[in-house]
Structures are given as structure tokens and as C-alpha cells.
Amino acid sequence: MPTDTGPARRHDLVAGVVFTVTVDRDRLSSIAHSHHPIAAPVFGVSVNRLLRRADRRPAARILDLGCGEAAWAMQALAHSPDGHADGVDISQYALERAATAAVQRGLAERLTLYELDARKFVPVGDYDLVMCVGSTHVFDGFAGTLQQAGQHVNRDGILLVGEGFWQVPPTAQALAALDAAPEDFTDLAGLVDAAERAGWTPVYAHVSDVAEWDNYEWSWVGSLTEWALENPGHPDASPALALARKHRDEWLRGYRNVLGFATLVLRRGSGAGADGQEF
């Protein structure tokens, strides 16, 4: 779902590569996710399990903030046969892929896409399910996502958020690879504590395992590498190869088995109002 170059509030890794030509960063990110439209370290079977736990009603209103290619939104529609989803993202390329996929899946009439900064999205009414998976950087982190995305959830609805956490204390190599500080993430228990402080109670969660991470990262690196090798004359080919190598090295030598990823299914805690505040 993220439109940046990696999950869980990653800083823009494209900016870490020195280019000699003007590069379309959104395009490279779209190419990198072309074989993994879920755009997070989560297998499809895990997406379905999360959506089953988040399923509220056959005619659910669904909102996906930072939707990327809208893979989560379209799969949510498969669980809500009479539902409608809105997907919001700033990437023209990701939204074009989403629109094509929606037509192919027969979902075009039930999916509305907005090319817009998710912070500026003003919906008409609230939603039964609001998702923000791997795009919490849009709202300046997990706490901001709970507050800003959460305001679009109706009183009995579900907020589904995917966020990074430290599996182990971060190493210097991991911090450098992610351009992060230790306080940028907490551990898994701290993530749950932060949700509850904001008035949200986890009713289910999925913690991505190493196979999901490896599949995501190899898909990211491999998609970009394959595109560059198949288009050697394209002006973005050399920058794409440089980015893929940099990303691969930072993952393998930096944050692999250090950064975790959890997707939480959240409901409002007892006594919390529509804005997450206590009555």
C-alpha cells in the first residue's frame, strides 16, 4: 500500500542514491511493487485472515488511506459483496494499476480512487472499515494514524493499521539503513500500549514472519532489477539498478530480523468516542 520505497514509515530510499539524471521516484516505487501489490510484508492468506476478522457487514463502507495499487481495498470488497471502497494515494502510477486491476476483477463500479494526499481527504460520512497498512508515515507515525485515520471510522467500525516495530534492540547498521532513530519505533508490546492509550483495543493482529519479509523484499528488489535489465536503454535503468542494490544491501546487512511488522485489527475501547477520546 505505501507509495514510498518500503514499509513501515521507511524514509525515501530513492533519495539515498546519487542520480545523474532526473528520476521519476513514484514510477520506480510502482515498478518495485509490481510483483507484490500488497505492498507490505504480508502473504495473501494473512491478508484474508485479517480481513475476515475485520469484516463488519456485507454492505460495508471501506476506506484505504495510502492504498497504493488498492490490493487491500479490492480484497476487502471480496469479503463485502455489496460494499464500496474508497482508495486514496498520491501515486498516479499505483492508481493506474489499481484501476486496471479493478476492471479485471469486476470491481470498478465498487471502487473509487482519489489521487490525493491522505491527510487532505475529506469523506462524505464515516466508514465501517478504515485501513492504513505500511503508510503511517503519511500521518507522521502510528499515533498520528490512530488519530487522523481513526476519525473516519464509525462508532462500531474497525481500524486496521500495519506498522513497524523493533523485533530486537536496533543495531547501528539497522538504524543507518532505515535512516531511523531508536525512538522511531517501539517493540510490539509498546505498539499495543500506544493503541490502547489512543482509545483503540486490538481484537486481532498479525505479526509478519521472516518468510513474509523475505518474499516482500526479494519481490521489491527483483521487480526493480528485472525491469532495469529488460530496459537497458531507458534513462532510469541505471538508477533503478543502483537503487535495487542499495535497498538489498541495507535490508540484508541492516534491518533484516531487526525490524518487524504488525498489522492490528482495532476497535474503540470501552468509553471511547468517535474521536478516540474518553466520554
Side-chain angles (χ1 to χ4, degrees):
M1 301 175 80
T3 55
D4 65 344
T5 55
R9 280 198 292 138
R10 296 285 306 284
H11 293 266
D12 189 350
L13 293 180
V14 180
V17 180
V18 177
F19 297 126
T20 58
V21 295
T22 301
V23 173
D24 190 334
R25 299 179 181 186
D26 279 349
R27 187 164 187 265
L28 290 187
S29 180
S30 179
I31 292 168
H33 287 111
S34 59
H35 286 98
H36 201 298
I38 290 171
V42 185
F43 283 150
V45 65
S46 301
V47 172
N48 278 316
R49 186 181 303 116
L50 285 159
L51 291 173
R52 282 196 297 271
R53 297 299 295 261
D55 191 19
R56 306 303 295 153
R57 59 194 66 178
R61 292 193 74 223
I62 299 158
L63 174 63
D64 191 349
L65 296 167
C67 68
E69 298 181 25
W72 290 75
M74 284 187 274
Q75 199 57 28
L77 288 175
H79 290 262
S80 298
D82 298 317
H84 185 277
D86 292 332
V88 183
D89 205 284
I90 61 172
S91 172
Q92 170 190 347
Y93 300 107
L95 293 176
E96 287 174 353
R97 289 178 183 268
T100 299
V103 171
Q104 293 171 343
R105 296 182 61 172
L107 297 172
E109 293 185 359
R110 297 203 289 133
L111 176 66
T112 303
L113 300 170
Y114 298 86
E115 186 178 343
L116 185 70
D117 186 322
R119 293 168 296 186
K120 299 179 181 178
F121 180 67
V122 180
V124 177
D126 52 22
Y127 293 84
D128 302 296
L129 170 62
V130 174
M131 301 183 287
C132 184
V133 181
S135 295
T136 58
H137 58 279
V138 174
F139 302 107
D140 297 321
F142 186 61
T145 301
L146 297 177
Q147 196 280 320
Q148 295 182 65
Q151 68 183 346
H152 302 310
V153 183
N154 66 34
R155 185 175 297 276
D156 297 319
I158 292 287
L159 178 61
L160 192 151
V161 181
E163 173 66 312
F165 68 92
W166 297 126
Q167 289 182 245
V168 297
T171 62
Q173 293 88 342
L175 293 173
L178 295 164
D179 189 20
E183 60 270 20
D184 284 349
F185 300 101
T186 182
D187 59 13
L188 181 58
L191 203 60
V192 172
D193 290 344
E196 294 204 317
R197 284 196 301 271
W200 295 93
T201 299
V203 295
Y204 186 69
H206 173 76
V207 177
S208 299
D209 62 24
V210 67
E212 289 175 300
W213 266 107
D214 286 356
N215 180 63
Y216 173 79
E217 295 288 4
W218 280 121
S219 293
W220 198 103
V221 170
S223 296
L224 204 55
T225 301
E226 284 181 333
W227 178 85
L229 294 175
E230 291 170 0
N231 297 274
H234 196 285
D236 286 350
S238 292
L241 276 177
L243 174 59
R245 292 190 183 106
K246 176 178 171 62
H247 186 114
R248 181 191 63 203
D249 289 346
E250 290 177 330
W251 161 51
L252 291 175
R253 294 184 168 90
Y255 61 88
R256 186 173 185 264
N257 295 323
V258 177
L259 183 67
F261 192 81
T263 309
L264 283 69
V265 179
L266 304 167
R267 294 192 65 178
R268 287 193 174 83
S270 177
D275 57 359
Q277 302 298 314
E278 295 296 316
F279 291 148

